[in-house]
Amino acid sequence: QSALTQPASVSGSPGQSITVSCAGTSSDVGAYYYVSWYQHHPGKGPKLMIYDISYRASGVSNRFSGSKSGNTASLTISGLQAEDEADYYCSSYTSSGTRVFGTGTKVTVL
Amino acid sequence: EVQLVESGGNMVRPGGSLRLSCAASGFTFEDYGMSWVRQAPGKGLEWVCGINVFGTKATYADSVKGRFTISRDNAKNSLYLQMNGLRDDDTAFYHCASGGAAAANDYWGQGTLVTVS
């Protein structure tokens, strides 16, 4: 099972909106609504941000939103803040009954 | 407060074995499928394996199938990972997380370091 494809890095200025893409196949992202997004600061456990494509996890700011079109899922962060700087990973259930993570995207706030 | 605390990480020789444990508290452990997820140094997250709430069905990434075994003890609120035939590329921080293969991973532990060298 190959990792889902994400851009290595995305950056934006405070207040701007950015979008992180997550490209999969018809056997994972395209087939299920079990797509989730995680924020990861080095040295800590990852934090669930979005589940089932577009539902925000408890306590997550409404500046974070998720969507999916075909085999590609997206995470949008609006009103970018310094605290949003982190690594972000998408994840999807697969037709093999396993789960696969994306390659990860480093979000930088300029 | 939800807590997942991993233990058992260590340095081991190639071909060796190790057993990781994860102690859960602050949520109803028996209601959640569970997973192990690892992160090699400088690399991204990799889902390793998952198990259902009853401990009767487990699924594995191809990279560990046949070498690793996930199990759980709901009476002890604990998750385990038996790792055999360890290889250099198994070196990573191993996190336990709530949620099996399909469900999102709500809760995560800080991880325990396994070094194969």
Side-chain angles (χ1 to χ4, degrees):
Chain A
Q1 182 69 50
S2 299
L4 308 175
T5 302
Q6 298 180 231
S9 63
V10 174
S11 61
S13 300
Q16 285 188 328
S17 291
I18 61 168
T19 296
V20 180
S21 61
C22 170
T25 69
S26 57
S27 296
D28 39 63
V29 174
Y32 303 99
Y33 62 81
Y34 298 124
V35 176
S36 47
W37 288 90
Y38 303 85
Q39 179 189 68
H40 190 205
H41 290 103
K44 295 186 175 182
K47 175 185 177 183
L48 175 66
M49 306 299 284
I50 299 287
Y51 66 96
D52 294 353
I53 300 176
S54 60
Y55 292 87
R56 275 186 298 276
S58 177
V60 172
S61 168
N62 58 10
R63 298 184 298 103
F64 291 83
S65 61
S67 62
K68 188 182 88 165
S69 177
N71 297 337
T72 300
S74 299
L75 172 72
T76 298
I77 309 174
S78 58
L80 200 60
Q81 298 180 2
E83 67 203 48
D84 300 332
E85 191 162 290
D87 296 324
Y88 290 83
Y89 293 87
C90 61
S91 183
S92 174
Y93 183 62
T94 80
S95 59
S96 301
T98 60
R99 173 168 285 272
V100 62
F101 279 91
T103 49
T105 298
K106 183 175 183 61
V107 169
T108 302
V109 181
L110 301 172
Chain B
E1 179 195 6
V2 170
Q3 279 199 314
L4 290 170
V5 180
E6 303 91 341
S7 60
N10 210 331
M11 179 177 287
V12 62
R13 301 278 194 192
S17 299
L18 210 55
R19 189 192 195 211
L20 305 184
S21 300
C22 172
S25 61
F27 67 104
T28 307
F29 180 73
E30 63 189 14
D31 287 347
Y32 285 77
M34 296 293 293
S35 291
W36 287 96
V37 177
R38 68 185 180 184
Q39 184 173 32
K43 303 290 186 181
L45 299 175
E46 180 189 12
W47 183 85
V48 176
C49 53
I51 191 167
N52 67 352
V53 297
F54 304 110
T56 56
K57 179 177 168 62
T59 50
Y60 299 88
D62 288 344
S63 57
V64 306
K65 198 177 295 182
R67 300 187 299 123
F68 289 12
T69 303
I70 187 174
S71 62
R72 65 188 296 161
D73 185 336
N74 287 344
K76 294 183 177 180
N77 287 346
S78 293
L79 179 73
Y80 306 100
L81 182 65
Q82 178 65 44
M83 304 185 293
N84 299 329
L86 282 162
R87 311 186 304 219
D88 289 351
D89 60 1
D90 293 319
T91 293
F93 275 96
Y94 284 74
H95 300 270
C96 70
S98 64
N105 305 116
D106 302 69
Y107 312 126
W108 292 73
Q110 295 273 63
T112 186
L113 179 60
V114 172
T115 302
V116 184
S117 177

